[in-house]
Amino acid sequence: MENSNQKAYITSISAFLPNEPVDNNSMEEILGLATTKPSRARRVVLRNNGIKQRYYAIDPVTKEPNFTNAQLAANAIKGLEADNKDFSINQIESITASTTIPDQIMPNHGVMVHGLLKNPSCEVTSTSGVCLCGVTAMRNAYNGILAGQWKKAVACASETASFFLRGKNYEEETDARINDLEENPIIAFEKDFLRWMLSDGAGAVLIEPKPKDSGISFRIDWMEILSYADEVETCMYAGSEKQENGSIKGWSLFSPKEIAEKSVLVPKQDVKLLNDKMPYYFEKFLEHTMKKYSLTGEEIDWYLPHVSSFYFWDTMLGIFERQNFKVPKEKCYTNLGTKGNTGSASIYIMLEELYKTKDLEDGQKILLFIPESGRFSVGYVMLTVVKK
């Protein structure tokens, strides 16, 4: 438990998913071809990740974006009002907005969200990262409530990964490497892999020092976040290229021609490093947290893991067994198959669906698990259901 007499509660939660769901057969039609031929990797990646549908902030007819990243976040925050009749966005004292790739380099993502909401002046912060930045946003709002600085703090996470996964972003590289592509008709698997893994969406939470008067709130008991960047090189990256020695060369060190021809701006994944290291850090962080908080699987009523792919599901359960962390399979909840991997927004979208579809009881414990493979950071959030 955090060392504070003050408490913090999630009193409202909202999710926003753009447009209609996109099934597996429609993905490449909306995103476009990355080369002159359909992807060879798509069916293999989809078979392993288990995702059946996802959402894109792309008009299915024009194939052009019809929401910005900031608009997704603003819509999620507006949805908090519908969930909590005693709340108005005009009461917000703090907004912490997170995303992996914002609409612009500057100004920061959070102030763009605030500008769309047009709620009265408030403190605005942005957190960045990959999947875990949604939780670092939540952490900032949580800390402000515990410190007594705010009474109503909002945290949100949003992603528009699809903008960078469109085939047009690879055209210059395809033209520059046409001879290589005749022998190997997909761009480096590390790039093609993510085209079939990532999707768009947003989520938001309202955090207050007291639970709401009626209905369900979630008390935040503790949050634990660790980076393992001191131990391992970069695994997932964008706006950069990974060098042979494992270092990262940033976009500003490339010429405009090189940026286009190397598809420098698009997200990439070192798949071998992901497979080698992610299970290790799953287990290392679980062992650390069990020791620090005397955490046991038996006390968990719902376990919500943000896994990027069902490929890691059995790996996760195997780690539970080795660590004697006894969470039954039926208590492990995910909507990855139907909502897709929305990165930093995933844990918000998952918790919102659990809240709306399950008969939660007072006192139940919910553990959120959020790893990211950017440079291997991991987070847990322990919640207790408060029902009035």
Side-chain angles (χ1 to χ4, degrees), residues 118-261:
K118 299 193 181 304
N119 59 295
S121 299
C122 64
E123 182 170 319
V124 177
T125 304
S126 290
T127 64
S128 64
V130 192
C131 302
L132 193 58
C133 66
V135 176
T136 58
M138 199 181 295
R139 175 71 146 178
N140 187 61
Y142 168 62
N143 285 349
I145 294 296
L146 291 186
Q149 187 172 5
W150 308 310
K151 299 296 184 183
K152 294 185 187 295
V154 166
C156 67
S158 56
E159 302 289 2
T160 48
S162 67
F163 296 180
F164 296 88
L165 306 179
R166 290 183 294 165
K168 62 170 58 179
N169 294 319
Y170 300 83
E171 287 174 358
E172 292 294 331
E173 179 171 11
T174 300
D175 291 342
R177 296 177 55 194
I178 193 68
N179 291 331
D180 293 339
L181 292 172
E182 287 178 356
E183 298 178 5
N184 180 14
I186 61 170
I187 289 175
F189 183 71
E190 285 77 6
K191 298 176 185 179
D192 200 40
F193 171 75
L194 287 177
R195 298 190 78 216
W196 320 117
M197 294 288 290
L198 304 176
S199 53
D200 305 342
V205 293
L206 171 65
I207 302 179
E208 300 183 83
K210 295 180 180 179
K212 58 188 175 188
D213 292 336
S214 63
I216 287 178
S217 302
F218 301 95
R219 187 179 71 235
I220 303 174
D221 294 333
W222 49 262
M223 304 180 77
E224 185 73 7
I225 300 170
L226 287 181
S227 162
Y228 293 104
D230 58 317
E231 299 182 11
V232 66
E233 65 190 48
T234 304
C235 181
M236 186 177 179
Y237 49 101
S240 57
E241 284 288 294
K242 193 169 183 179
Q243 308 300 292
E244 288 188 7
N245 65 1
S247 66
I248 290 293
K249 182 178 178 180
W251 65 272
S252 62
L253 301 179
F254 291 92
S255 70
K257 187 172 184 286
E258 287 176 317
I259 288 174
E261 291 185 350

